[in-house]
Amino acid sequence: MKKFVVLLLLSFSITFSIFAASNEELKKALDNKEIHVVQAMLENAAPEELSDLEKQVLAKSKDAVSKDDLDYAFSLAEIVLIVNFDNAEAQKLYTSIDKAKKTKAETEARKKAEEEKRQEEERKRKEAEEQKRQLEEYKQQKQEEEQKKNEYIESVSKISLANFPMRYAVNFPIEISQSSFANQFNQASNIYSRLGFGLEAKVGFNHPYVKLDLDLNYNFLPLQFNNAGMKSDFRSRFTIGIPSFSDFFRLSFGINSYSLINDNNAALYSGLTAPIFGIGLDKINITPDLTMSFFTDLSLITFDAHSEISFAWDAEVTLRYYLPLKLFENGKLFVQNTTSLNSLIVSKQNEWYLDTQFSVGVSIND
């Protein structure tokens, strides 16, 4: 009797150990979602273990349902039914999960359809807004083109005082000069200087087809040093520009004339009057209030065989700054510096005048 009890306890202990090991292995397979391992364990389980193992699988299936992992829950319930189709709990769970899956699929399909519909409506709305924006932009562009066209037609067909810019200024010139002829005659190496005052007047005509300017400049320099003599200096410049070709390029024509009074052999030519021809760039905007002009001219005295002058030319740079003051409608104050170099070449000797003048004046329509 004792031996029977011992054997029974030993058998129970071994069975319990095997069952505990099976439970541990099943739990691990369920946690790792190893469906094929779970199915194999159920199919190979001893009859006395199968019911408990099925309960564990169904418990895990219900847990998966609570976590909305319906596919995994459905697979577990399906495995139990494959192994034991008569398991009523598995049948009920399988049916409810299948229904939940269909409901979820229908809900997701409906949400997807609604989202697609919303996206399509949003696309159509954006398309309509873009078409409306493009239409408004096109209308605005056409209006601006029409306005520019009308303004251009008015600008070329209507002439008013605004088409005539004017400038008037008072000059304060400073001049230095040198003549290799005089230095040779005087046996010296003198540089002569003069100071004075003067006036400048300019009138122009601005039109989209043409720009015309007439600039008159007269300076009298009575203060002289080193017996340089007083100087009377007159310069005129008429310029022509074609805006369609360039906003800045100008052809230049004029007459320059000067005479020295009471000079002590300071120059070979104590007086000279000649026409000039040249090119230049006018009113280059460095800043909105600061402009620069540059001209270079050939004196036509160069072609006078009786003058003995081989080459005569000049260059002129003007910087003009418009003060932030408004005197009246279209009227501004400005300060200006004009620096010019005039040179006469006879054979290998030359005579030159370097003049810089500071001006203060008023501009109208400029």
Side-chain angles (χ1 to χ4, degrees):
M1 184 68 181
K2 273 185 174 185
K3 289 183 179 180
F4 177 76
V5 172
V6 171
L7 288 173
L8 183 63
L9 289 173
L10 182 61
S11 175
F12 179 79
S13 175
I14 293 171
T15 302
F16 180 80
S17 297
I18 295 173
F19 180 72
S22 298
N23 280 347
E24 189 63 30
E25 186 178 352
L26 179 63
K27 183 176 183 302
K28 182 179 178 182
L30 290 172
D31 290 339
N32 295 331
K33 295 187 177 181
E34 297 172 343
I35 299 295
H36 62 286
V37 175
V38 174
Q39 183 174 350
M41 290 186 68
L42 291 181
E43 289 175 345
N44 297 320
E48 63 273 12
E49 298 176 355
L50 183 60
S51 177
D52 289 331
L53 296 180
E54 287 178 355
K55 288 179 180 179
Q56 289 186 50
V57 173
L58 292 177
K60 189 66 175 179
S61 177
K62 292 176 182 178
D63 182 63
V65 171
S66 67
K67 296 177 179 177
D68 200 32
D69 191 358
L70 298 181
D71 289 335
Y72 183 48
F74 186 80
S75 297
L76 293 178
E78 186 178 34
I79 288 172
V80 173
L81 289 176
I82 290 172
V83 176
N84 181 13
F85 186 76
D86 294 329
N87 190 317
E89 185 180 2
Q91 291 177 358
K92 184 177 179 181
L93 184 59
Y94 179 88
T95 302
S96 65
I97 294 174
D98 184 58
K99 184 183 293 186
K101 284 183 65 178
K102 290 180 180 178
T103 302
K104 183 179 180 180
E106 290 173 356
T107 302
E108 289 178 350
R110 185 174 67 254
K111 287 182 178 179
K112 183 178 179 181
E114 290 175 352
E115 178 62 19
E116 289 176 352
K117 181 180 178 182
R118 186 194 67 77
Q119 291 180 356
E120 180 65 15
E121 290 175 350
E122 181 67 14
R123 184 187 65 80
K124 289 181 179 179
R125 183 186 67 79
K126 288 182 177 180
E127 263 186 14
E129 288 181 353
E130 179 63 18
Q131 290 176 357
K132 182 179 178 181
R133 185 193 67 78
Q134 291 180 356
L135 180 61
E136 292 296 328
E137 189 176 282
Y138 176 76
K139 289 180 179 179
Q140 181 68 22
Q141 181 180 349
K142 285 299 180 182
Q143 288 177 357
E144 290 176 357
E145 289 176 356
E146 186 67 22
Q147 182 179 354
K148 288 180 180 179
K149 179 182 176 181
N150 293 336
E151 289 175 353
Y152 178 77
I153 292 173
E154 184 178 358
S155 68
V156 298
S157 61
K158 182 180 178 181
I159 304 298
S160 68
L161 186 62
N163 293 92
F164 295 91
M166 291 171 275
R167 281 200 303 268
Y168 303 98
V170 177
N171 303 330
F172 302 95
I174 304 171
E175 182 184 84
I176 59 174
S177 66
Q178 187 179 58
S179 172
S180 59
F181 310 103
N183 287 340
Q184 184 178 359
F185 180 80
N186 295 324
Q187 295 183 352
S189 180
N190 293 328
I191 292 180
Y192 303 95
S193 57
R194 303 172 185 87
L195 301 175
F197 55 89
L199 296 172
E200 180 180 6
K202 175 221 168 177
V203 63
F205 175 66
N206 286 344
H207 191 272
Y209 292 157
V210 66
K211 289 183 181 291
L212 306 174
D213 284 306
L214 175 62
D215 198 339
L216 304 176
N217 191 91
Y218 176 76
N219 288 327
F220 181 60
L221 298 96
L223 299 178
Q224 50 86 27
F225 303 91
N226 206 16
N227 296 318
M230 296 183 291
K231 186 180 181 184
S232 175
D233 186 82
F234 173 77
R235 302 174 193 179
S236 66
R237 185 185 299 280
F238 178 72
T239 62
I240 301 173
I242 308 298
S244 59
F245 171 69
S246 171
D247 287 334
F248 310 114
F249 182 78
R250 300 288 186 270
L251 289 176
S252 172
F253 309 89
I255 295 177
N256 286 354
S257 176
Y258 72 87
S259 61
L260 299 178
I261 305 167
N262 298 328
D263 68 300
N264 187 16
N265 299 318
L268 177 62
Y269 293 90
S270 59
L272 192 64
T273 299
I276 59 170
F277 169 75
I279 58 175
L281 301 173
D282 191 31
K283 290 195 72 173
I284 300 173
N285 294 318
I286 300 175
T287 70
D289 297 318
L290 179 64
T291 65
M292 182 183 77
S293 301
F294 171 77
F295 287 93
T296 183
D297 306 292
L298 174 66
S299 175
L300 299 187
I301 196 70
T302 300
F303 305 105
D304 185 353
H306 301 290
S307 70
E308 299 183 358
I309 295 175
S310 303
F311 189 66
W313 65 280
D314 68 78
E316 178 183 282
V317 177
T318 300
L319 290 173
R320 184 178 305 110
Y321 177 71
Y322 293 91
L323 298 173
L325 298 173
K326 203 170 185 181
L327 298 179
F328 46 85
E329 187 67 26
N330 297 326
K332 297 180 181 178
L333 281 175
F334 68 87
V335 292
Q336 175 179 286
N337 173 253
T338 301
T339 300
S340 60
L341 174 66
N342 295 270
S343 179
L344 305 174
I345 299 174
V346 180
S347 186
K348 294 182 180 180
Q349 294 182 306
N350 72 342
E351 192 167 279
W352 55 263
Y353 296 87
L354 180 62
D355 176 280
T356 184
Q357 67 178 33
F358 298 92
S359 307
V360 179
V362 60
S363 69
I364 303 170
N365 301 325
D366 195 14

